[in-house]
């Protein structure tokens, strides 16, 4: 999988956005298409940009990240980012790629990217196998 992965960051903390943006800049395969401070901005951004991978904070004003994710009819794949372990169980209900606890290290961030790539490579192989499966 050598295609560019288009990413969107949704977080109400400017420092968290800056850290994730810096990590995205370090991985040539990733492209940041935008940053948002809340769910409403994210909804607008998703209507404008093709997003492959969403880095989504959980505790935000107005609507938390998990509720926002549940509200999307066709969400991109998601890595939840939060300072709280208490939401880990809820993340299973929304089938996310990964769950990152703040402060996020680059190694842990990169592991999430690797999970995303592995999942999508497997999905591509399975789809191809279904197409060429003999009757």
């Amino acid at each position: 999988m050598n295609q560019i992965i288009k990413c969107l960051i949704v977080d109400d903390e400017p420092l968290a956005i800056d850290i994730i943006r810096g990590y995205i800049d370090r991985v040539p395969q990733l492209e940041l298409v935008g940053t948002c401070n809340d769910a409403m901005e994210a909804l607008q951004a998703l209507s404008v940009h093709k997003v492959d991978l969403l880095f989504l904070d959980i505790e935000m004003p107005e609507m938390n990240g998990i509720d926002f994710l549940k509200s999307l009819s066709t969400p991109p794949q998601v890595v939840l980012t939060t300072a709280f372990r208490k939401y880990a169980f809820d993340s299973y209900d929304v089938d996310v790629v990964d769950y990152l606890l703040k402060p996020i290290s680059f190694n842990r961030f990169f592991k999430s990217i690797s999970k995303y790539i592995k999942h999508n490579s497997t999905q591509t192989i399975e789809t191809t196998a279904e197409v060429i499966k003999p009757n």
Side-chain angles (χ1 to χ4, degrees):
M1 178 176 187
N2 289 327
Q3 71 183 31
I4 298 297
I5 301 165
K6 297 187 181 291
C7 303
L8 178 68
I9 302 169
V10 182
D11 202 309
D12 62 326
E13 296 177 41
L15 179 59
I17 289 174
D18 289 344
I19 290 169
I20 296 171
R21 176 188 287 129
Y23 291 166
I24 288 171
D25 289 345
R26 292 174 62 182
V27 181
Q29 202 169 346
L30 302 181
E31 177 185 323
L32 183 62
V33 298
T35 63
C36 304
N37 294 309
D38 59 43
M40 297 305 106
E41 283 183 32
L43 189 59
Q44 176 64 29
L46 289 170
S47 72
V48 174
H49 300 287
K50 178 191 180 300
V51 174
D52 301 308
L53 187 58
L54 179 63
F55 291 93
L56 181 62
D57 186 25
I58 296 176
E59 285 203 356
M60 295 184 295
E62 305 296 320
M63 179 182 285
N64 79 39
I66 291 175
D67 289 339
F68 171 68
L69 185 54
K70 287 178 179 178
S71 77
L72 299 175
S73 58
T74 54
Q77 292 189 43
V78 175
V79 172
L80 289 174
T81 62
T82 185
F84 305 97
R85 292 182 186 274
K86 65 183 179 182
Y87 297 109
F89 185 74
D90 295 334
S91 71
Y92 288 103
D93 289 337
V94 288
D95 195 29
V96 297
V97 173
D98 209 350
Y99 187 90
L100 296 179
L101 281 174
K102 297 173 183 176
I104 302 165
S105 70
F106 179 74
N107 287 342
R108 189 63 186 85
F109 171 85
F110 194 76
K111 185 175 181 180
S112 289
I113 300 306
S114 297
K115 282 183 179 183
Y116 171 86
I117 291 170
K118 181 178 178 182
H119 174 78
N120 285 288
S121 296
T122 303
Q123 200 171 37
T124 302
I125 291 166
E126 289 171 358
T127 303
T128 304
E130 287 176 15
V131 170
I132 62 172
K133 189 185 294 183
N135 290 334

